Amino acid sequence: MMRGPVDTGTPDRLFTILGGRSEPSEFFDVVTLIVSECRPARWMQSEHRRILELCRHPTAVVEISAELKLPVTAVRILLGDLRDAGRITPRHPRATRSGASLPHTALLEKVLHGLRRL
C-alpha cells in the first residue's frame, strides 16, 4: 500500500510534538551548528532521536529543520529540550568584534553579480 507524503506541519501535529509549547528555552540561530553528545535511545521522542542521529557531525539548525520537515521554530524548541538534558552542544556563530574581519563591500558585490549570472 502506497502512502502519500506525511504532513508534519499541521497545527495538531506540531502541538503534539511540542507538547503545546511555542517558545524555545534557548535561542538557536539558523546557522548554529548542533553536535550530538550521546546516541539516541529507543524511549526518546522520535524527533529527538532523529536530531541526535543527524547531529553526529555538526549540523546547522536550518538543515535539521529541512530534514525533519518542521518549521525552524519547532526545531528550536526540540533542540532546547535536548540542550537542557545535556544531549547536544550548540556551536553558536561567533560575533565579530570589528568590521575589519568582514569582507569588503566590493567583494560582496562581485559575488552577488556572479551569482546573478548563473
Side-chain angles (χ1 to χ4, degrees):
M1 176 179 183
M2 291 263 313
R3 296 172 78 183
V6 178
D7 182 6
T8 58
T10 63
D12 291 342
R13 174 141 170 81
L14 289 176
F15 185 86
T16 302
I17 291 170
L18 303 176
R21 295 168 296 156
S22 61
E23 295 292 326
S25 62
E26 179 178 344
F27 180 77
F28 297 93
D29 192 280
V30 294
V31 295
T32 297
L33 297 176
I34 306 298
V35 181
S36 299
E37 295 297 337
C38 67
R39 301 183 97 176
R42 290 182 181 238
W43 54 265
M44 292 176 156
Q45 182 176 331
S46 62
E47 292 80 13
H48 288 150
R49 287 194 315 260
R50 184 71 180 122
I51 290 170
L52 291 175
E53 290 168 359
L54 288 169
C55 297
R56 285 180 283 173
H57 301 286
T59 307
V61 171
V62 70
E63 292 177 81
I64 298 167
S65 175
E67 286 291 325
L68 294 178
K69 296 180 176 71
L70 289 173
V72 172
T73 305
V75 170
R76 286 177 174 149
I77 294 169
L78 295 170
L79 291 172
D81 296 343
L82 292 169
R83 171 70 174 99
D84 292 346
R87 292 189 168 89
I88 62 164
T89 299
R91 295 182 183 171
H92 298 286
R94 293 183 186 177
T96 58
R97 292 185 183 186
S98 71
S101 62
L102 297 175
H104 292 283
T105 305
L107 174 64
L108 293 175
E109 287 174 354
K110 286 180 183 179
V111 170
L112 182 59
H113 179 68
L115 290 173
R116 285 183 178 154
R117 286 189 296 169
L118 293 177

